[in-house]
Amino acid sequence: MQKAPALRRGFASAKRFIALAAASALVVGAGATMAHAVPSQAKPAVPAGEIEFWHWRGEDKAVFDQLIARFQNQNPGVKITQVITPSTPYQANAFQQLRNNPKGAAFAAFRGPQFWQMANGGLMKDVSKEAFVKNVNTNSLNAGKLTGKQYGVPYHYLFNMPVYNTEIFQKVGIKPPTTFPQFLDMCKKLKAAGYIPMAWIGSGNRGQSAQISNAILANEATDSEITGLSKGQTKVSDPWFQTVAGKYEEMRNAGCFPDNPLGTTEAAANALFAQGRAAILPTGSFSMGAVKALNPAMEGKMQLMMIPSKTNVKDAKYEGIHNNTFILGINNTSSPTQQAIARAWIDFLTKPINAEYYANGTSQHAVVNGVRYTNPDLKNTSEWLTKNTKLAPRFLILNLGVSDEVQDLLIGIVGGKSASAAIAEFAPRIAAKAWS
């Protein structure tokens, strides 16, 4: 593992992590990605038994299958079964399901409302003193902390930003915009050239629909304004949120979304982008693996862009969005044997040799120290590792009921409602779900 250069004081936490990660991220390993030396560490004792590993990333199943097979070969008598649920029902139901299922001893949590619910609700075991915590970059660990205790370790360093097809942009003669008027103009040019500007997901996956809100919130709202929605301390009728909602209406009127936006599923959006019918997939870097599974020729042809919400580029504080998520945790209701297996599994996943196998196989940047990237798309998008990006702000709404209503409000605008009408409709519902 290479050491990062000394960091200037005062950098944002994202910058500090990036400086550490970038030094190793751009090194191309010789030979197979699982072949480099791993620092020797005491191997945890793993008793025989069977557990389930719960998460939502079906596109990672094959890579996790390989890692599970390797883990089981190293630990005879151990069996791990993946339990994979799509992201929207996973966020809604996994907490209760895992509380009633001790066999689900290892699981991943979304940063934000779900992690807060799982940690605050007693599902996640305190892992503050576990050795694997040291395998993860220090600056990313806050995503898995609550009240000063470490309840989980994030596995992903991802970018919740639109992915665009570089070949289409070249054909149309456009570049990623730096201002909101330029963004609207880009949508019009792409549509005139016969492309769907953004393959936005409006059906069956609120989480993916919500990704573009990160970009707008980043430069149009303060953290306190966003967090205040959970307790009713701020409201969607406030001027700052009216600005956010107005941006959605302007994007819709400029033709940025598909013709039938509320009917576009995640599978359909991925296919539209993979087939070259849509120029932009407005989700995040985590979608690149699924796109390449549909069309391997897309490898190396994807890049990230920001939705700039300001009219003047100098007014934008942040250049993009990042997130530390897929927070790995241990089920507090599991038996000591099951917890021991889960602990060893997370320790295994956070070893550099295994984390980089996962990263390169799934096109996911990782927060594990010492990971080296050979994946072309990870290397192509690595320039964002040194930009001034904000930790995804929509996850600051810890009240899941409020968060869902806020996103449904914005989805309704894409579907045809005016910003003012959507705010008037949803404001009472959001107020009713706010914590007292």
Side-chain angles (χ1 to χ4, degrees):
M1 170 183 170
Q2 298 181 354
K3 294 183 179 179
L7 303 176
R8 296 194 304 272
R9 293 184 179 181
F11 270 27
S13 60
K15 289 278 191 177
R16 291 196 297 269
F17 166 72
I18 294 317
L20 290 165
S24 61
L26 298 179
V27 177
V28 179
T33 61
M34 299 183 76
H36 71 85
V38 181
S40 60
Q41 296 184 15
K43 182 180 177 182
V46 186
E50 181 176 349
I51 67 167
E52 295 171 346
F53 173 43
W54 284 46
H55 65 92
W56 63 88
R57 283 187 57 83
E59 59 267 54
D60 293 354
K61 182 180 183 302
V63 173
F64 274 131
D65 278 342
Q66 291 298 316
L67 288 167
I68 287 171
R70 191 165 186 258
F71 179 77
Q72 291 176 165
N73 286 338
Q74 293 177 5
N75 301 283
V78 170
K79 182 180 180 182
I80 296 179
T81 302
Q82 293 189 71
V83 176
I84 305 173
T85 305
S87 59
T88 295
Y90 189 89
Q91 289 184 84
N93 304 318
F95 172 63
Q96 291 293 345
Q97 292 172 336
L98 284 164
R99 283 208 305 185
N100 297 322
N101 179 30
K103 194 173 182 180
F107 57 89
F110 282 92
R111 172 181 160 256
Q114 186 175 62
F115 168 74
W116 183 89
Q117 182 186 47
M118 288 179 164
N120 189 60
L123 177 67
M124 302 184 87
K125 186 176 179 63
D126 182 356
V127 298
S128 301
K129 296 181 180 180
E130 298 293 346
F132 59 70
V133 173
K134 296 180 180 179
N135 297 341
V136 176
N137 183 271
T138 303
N139 294 308
S140 70
L141 289 173
N142 283 337
K145 282 183 180 177
L146 183 68
T147 61
K149 295 180 180 180
Q150 196 76 46
Y151 286 99
V153 291
Y155 203 48
H156 291 172
Y157 190 98
L158 56 85
F159 298 96
N160 304 71
M161 297 160 58
V163 182
Y164 72 91
N165 184 317
T166 57
E167 284 191 339
I168 291 177
F169 270 50
Q170 290 171 359
K171 288 178 182 178
V172 179
I174 57 176
K175 295 180 180 181
T178 57
T179 68
F180 194 62
Q182 289 176 6
F183 182 86
L184 299 179
D185 185 60
M186 175 204 70
C187 288
K188 294 173 183 177
K189 288 179 178 177
L190 286 168
K191 194 163 187 177
Y195 297 102
I196 298 168
M198 295 198 301
W200 180 79
I201 299 161
S203 175
N205 195 322
R206 186 187 287 114
Q208 295 291 52
S209 304
Q211 295 300 351
I212 61 174
S213 67
N214 282 304
I216 309 299
L217 289 169
N219 287 307
E220 298 297 336
T222 65
D223 286 0
S224 60
E225 287 171 335
I226 301 168
T227 57
L229 291 171
S230 289
K231 294 184 178 181
Q233 296 166 340
T234 57
K235 303 181 184 301
V236 292
S237 56
D238 293 343
W240 68 271
F241 192 87
Q242 291 181 30
T243 299
V244 172
K247 299 291 181 183
Y248 270 69
E249 189 169 0
E250 289 186 75
M251 287 190 289
R252 184 198 69 210
N253 292 341
C256 296
F257 301 102
D259 290 338
N260 179 28
L262 301 189
T264 305
T265 64
E266 182 174 14
N270 287 348
L272 289 170
F273 183 69
Q275 295 165 5
R277 295 169 59 192
I280 301 167
L281 182 62
T283 54
S285 59
F286 50 84
S287 293
M288 294 190 298
V291 170
K292 289 191 292 186
L294 293 172
N295 181 9
M298 284 294 291
E299 184 169 81
K301 299 175 183 177
M302 292 179 281
Q303 186 51 273
L304 299 167
M305 62 177 285
M306 179 64 159
I307 299 178
S309 65
K310 296 294 187 181
T311 300
N312 189 327
V313 66
K314 295 181 180 179
D315 294 331
K317 183 177 180 181
Y318 297 100
E319 299 175 272
I321 304 295
H322 76 274
N323 203 10
N324 300 139
T325 191
F326 206 80
I327 302 170
L328 300 172
I330 299 173
N331 193 331
N332 219 12
T333 72
S334 300
S335 70
T337 294
Q338 291 167 330
Q339 290 182 0
I341 297 171
R343 183 181 300 111
W345 169 238
I346 296 174
D347 184 85
F348 174 87
L349 289 178
T350 54
K351 291 292 196 297
I353 192 171
N354 301 317
E356 76 174 34
Y357 178 78
Y358 172 82
N360 289 308
T362 61
S363 299
Q364 287 283 159
H365 289 98
V367 298
V368 174
N369 296 316
V371 168
R372 302 180 299 187
Y373 300 133
T374 57
N375 181 303
D377 291 299
L378 293 182
K379 292 194 293 181
N380 286 349
T381 57
S382 63
E383 67 181 78
W384 286 93
L385 294 170
T386 57
K387 292 181 182 289
N388 183 23
T389 58
K390 181 176 177 60
L391 189 62
R394 77 178 182 88
F395 296 102
L396 292 171
I397 308 175
L398 297 180
N399 182 324
L400 185 58
V402 168
S403 178
D404 287 349
E405 293 288 358
V406 168
Q407 292 304 329
D408 287 347
L409 184 163
L410 297 173
I411 290 169
I413 295 172
V414 179
K417 296 175 183 176
S418 69
S420 59
I423 289 172
E425 176 185 346
F426 280 87
R429 292 156 57 169
I430 293 170
K433 291 187 177 182
W435 292 329
S436 58

